Amino acid sequence: NAGVMQNPRHLVRRRGQEARLRCSPMKGHSHVYWYRQLPEEGLKFMVYLQKENIIDESGMPKERFSAEFPKEGPSILRIQQVVRGDSAAYFCASSQRQGAVSNTEAFFGQGTRLTVV
Amino acid sequence: DQQVKQNSPSLSVQEGRISILNCDYTNSMFDYFLWYKKYPAEGPTFLISISSIKDKNEDGRFTVFLNKSAKHLSLHIVPSQPGDSAVYFCAANSGTYKYIFGTGTRLKVLA
């Protein structure tokens, strides 16, 4: 049973370009979370998605950032017109939840390290 | 507003001794707490969790204690091993979906 798969592992973009980060959740998981880790900081929640729905994007910057989790295919975190401050490790996690039950753990991918030059 | 706090950025412990990592939280609605371990260049790995209806959960060398009145939890590792050297994140969940993470504690186990 493959874990959470993220690609690419490393991504270098010039300022102004677009970055696309992909996340395939664990088999059977329909809940996806994106987190960002800036250097020397903890994991900051960005967005929570279920299939075809954004449930909570309160942690995601209002501009340039978007996320989707289509019916088929991986979840995509998209950053348009990247700036140096977007350089960070972006982690995707997935979980299998039953209604509003909270006692499930989220499983993380290995992350995508974005470097903006 | 940092709802989950890990006030010690780093901790060094001798091999074979006990490691105690602490975590404080402010939101009384949190009802599920987790510890994750992270090695450099890898994603966080789930370690152990505890529900708010318990005050202790043990799994091998790892034990998590929860003190709800103090809004405090701790992770005990005994005996500590060099392979335990990593960054440990405390996380909390409030029955919704959002896992809130602390800033992490870097544990170094000295051989």
Side-chain angles (χ1 to χ4, degrees):
Chain A
N1 186 13
V4 178
M5 304 299 292
Q6 287 189 251
N7 69 81
R9 289 292 308 276
H10 300 276
L11 182 62
V12 179
R13 284 288 177 265
R14 294 185 186 280
R15 280 178 294 171
Q17 290 185 318
E18 177 180 286
R20 281 189 177 231
L21 290 65
R22 294 176 185 75
C23 170
S24 296
M26 282 183 71
K27 187 176 181 181
H29 287 191
S30 57
H31 303 261
V32 166
Y33 315 79
W34 284 93
Y35 286 81
R36 175 164 68 174
Q37 185 182 22
L38 294 169
E40 305 303 321
E41 293 189 14
L43 294 151
K44 294 289 175 66
F45 169 82
M46 297 182 73
V47 60
Y48 162 54
L49 310 103
Q50 294 181 22
K51 283 284 187 182
E52 300 185 275
N53 286 303
I54 296 175
I55 307 301
D56 183 347
E57 54 183 350
S58 60
M60 201 156 65
K62 295 285 186 288
E63 297 179 355
R64 302 187 298 108
F65 285 72
S66 63
E68 63 177 15
F69 189 16
K71 188 176 180 181
E72 301 291 338
S75 175
I76 307 286
L77 178 67
R78 184 179 173 209
I79 311 172
Q80 295 177 292
Q81 300 175 325
V82 295
V83 300
R84 289 236 170 95
D86 296 333
S87 295
Y90 291 83
F91 292 98
C92 168
S94 73
S95 72
Q96 182 182 39
R97 297 179 60 83
Q98 303 291 335
V101 173
S102 64
N103 57 343
T104 62
E105 54 271 20
F107 293 88
F108 282 81
Q110 292 188 300
T112 293
R113 191 164 299 278
L114 172 66
T115 302
V116 180
V117 297
Chain B
D1 178 26
Q2 190 68 28
Q3 296 186 65
V4 178
K5 299 177 185 179
Q6 292 177 258
N7 292 319
S8 297
S10 63
L11 175 68
S12 292
V13 172
Q14 286 291 333
E15 182 179 6
R17 306 293 289 268
I18 185 171
S19 296
I20 300 177
L21 295 95
N22 294 304
C23 178
D24 297 293
Y25 61 96
T26 58
N27 189 340
S28 57
M29 297 301 292
F30 288 145
D31 62 358
Y32 190 60
F33 304 88
L34 312 93
W35 284 93
Y36 284 83
K37 176 180 177 180
K38 185 180 180 303
Y39 292 116
E42 293 187 14
T45 303
F46 170 73
L47 196 58
I48 193 170
S49 62
I50 188 167
S51 165
S52 60
I53 62 173
K54 294 185 175 182
D55 54 18
K56 178 182 175 181
N57 187 26
E58 192 172 352
D59 183 2
R61 296 186 297 113
F62 303 91
T63 303
V64 56
F65 295 93
L66 175 63
N67 182 334
K68 284 175 59 181
S69 61
K71 295 192 179 69
H72 177 84
L73 65 156
S74 60
L75 174 68
H76 292 211
I77 307 172
V78 55
S80 302
Q81 299 173 354
D84 296 330
S85 297
V87 178
Y88 289 79
F89 290 98
C90 164
N93 189 306
S94 63
T96 54
Y97 46 79
K98 194 181 294 187
Y99 297 83
I100 306 296
F101 282 81
T103 51
T105 296
R106 184 179 303 276
L107 173 66
K108 188 171 183 179
V109 180
L110 306 169

